[in-house]
Amino acid sequence: MSSAIVLNEKLENVGALALPSSFEEIHSHNLYLYVKSYQAALRSNTANTKTKGEVSGGGKKPWAQKGRGGARAGSRRSPVWVGGGAAFGPRANKNYDLKVNKKQKKLALEFALNEKALNNALFVVDSLTVESGKTKDAAKIVKTLGTRDALIVKQLVDENTLLAFRNLQNCYLVEANELNAYLATAFYAVIIEKSVLETITKEG
């Protein structure tokens, strides 16, 4: 059974918090589907080509239909002409959204957290607040834990803690309702408040 590392106020390892055994039975495909959906939603969808009805020029038939011995042509805007419109090119109205239901989203998050726990990269604290609001104090947290980067999950983000973390490139601070499987997998470690993790495990 996987477990999260419990930290005290000084960020010292004081024990372990076991995750539900059901987390280990979740298939990784749930995470794959959620990440695929999340990244699809981030696509800018700006690629757009002009059809033969949108390119300039070509109101007149280039030459007579018959008599010159060449192929017939009706418009200079034809896709076969240089400078003509594109046939079946990308359009900006394409919908890339992929549906993932609530159950799969929940399973994906649980799987992601379980993977962090297996890699000793899931840390639980009662409360994580940087009262000074200074970036150097926030940086000490990640340095103390010895992680490359970290996702910080709080129940509610206070102003001073936000000020402390917002300029750190290797940290990302979110509230409980913003936590998702993609963010959990995007960072090397997850530092989460105990109340948030308990809510997730109870729902599971």
Side-chain angles (χ1 to χ4, degrees), residues 1-4 18-26 107-122 184 197:
M1 181 180 293
S2 58
S3 58
L19 298 180
S21 58
S22 60
F23 282 22
E24 297 182 350
E25 301 171 1
I26 301 172
L107 292 173
L109 176 58
E110 292 170 355
F111 179 86
L113 293 177
N114 188 69
E115 286 293 296
K116 293 300 177 189
L118 291 173
N119 293 321
N120 297 319
L122 180 61
L197 184 60

Side-chain angles (χ1 to χ4, degrees), residues 123 125-131 141 151-165 172-179 190-197 200:
F123 302 95
V125 293
D126 286 332
S127 179
L128 187 66
T129 304
V130 184
E131 295 180 356
I141 295 174
L151 175 69
I152 317 294
V153 187
K154 285 178 60 65
Q155 190 72 50
L156 292 171
V157 176
D158 58 278
E159 185 175 355
N160 285 343
T161 304
L162 176 62
L163 290 173
F165 279 103
Y172 190 54
L173 179 66
V174 296
E175 292 189 344
N177 60 355
E178 298 175 284
L179 177 62
V190 175
I191 307 172
I192 187 170
E193 288 188 344
K194 189 175 181 180
S195 59
V196 179
L197 184 60
I200 295 172

Side-chain angles (χ1 to χ4, degrees), residues 8 11 18 27 35 39 52 62-63 72 80-81 84 89 97 107 110 122 151 156 163 171 200:
N8 59 15
L11 301 179
H27 199 283
V35 171
Q39 291 181 326
K52 64 180 183 180
W63 50 70
R72 54 195 173 181
V80 301
W81 282 57
D97 292 345
L107 292 173
E110 292 170 355
L122 180 61
L151 175 69
L156 292 171
L163 290 173
C171 286
I200 295 172

Side-chain angles (χ1 to χ4, degrees), residues 97-110:
D97 292 345
L98 300 173
K99 184 181 183 300
V100 177
N101 59 44
K102 286 185 178 180
K103 184 176 180 180
Q104 282 182 316
K105 288 181 181 180
K106 181 175 73 69
L107 292 173
L109 176 58
E110 292 170 355

Side-chain angles (χ1 to χ4, degrees), residues 133-147:
K134 294 183 178 180
T135 302
K136 65 178 183 179
D137 293 334
K140 287 179 182 178
I141 295 174
V142 181
K143 187 176 181 180
T144 301
L145 296 177
T147 63

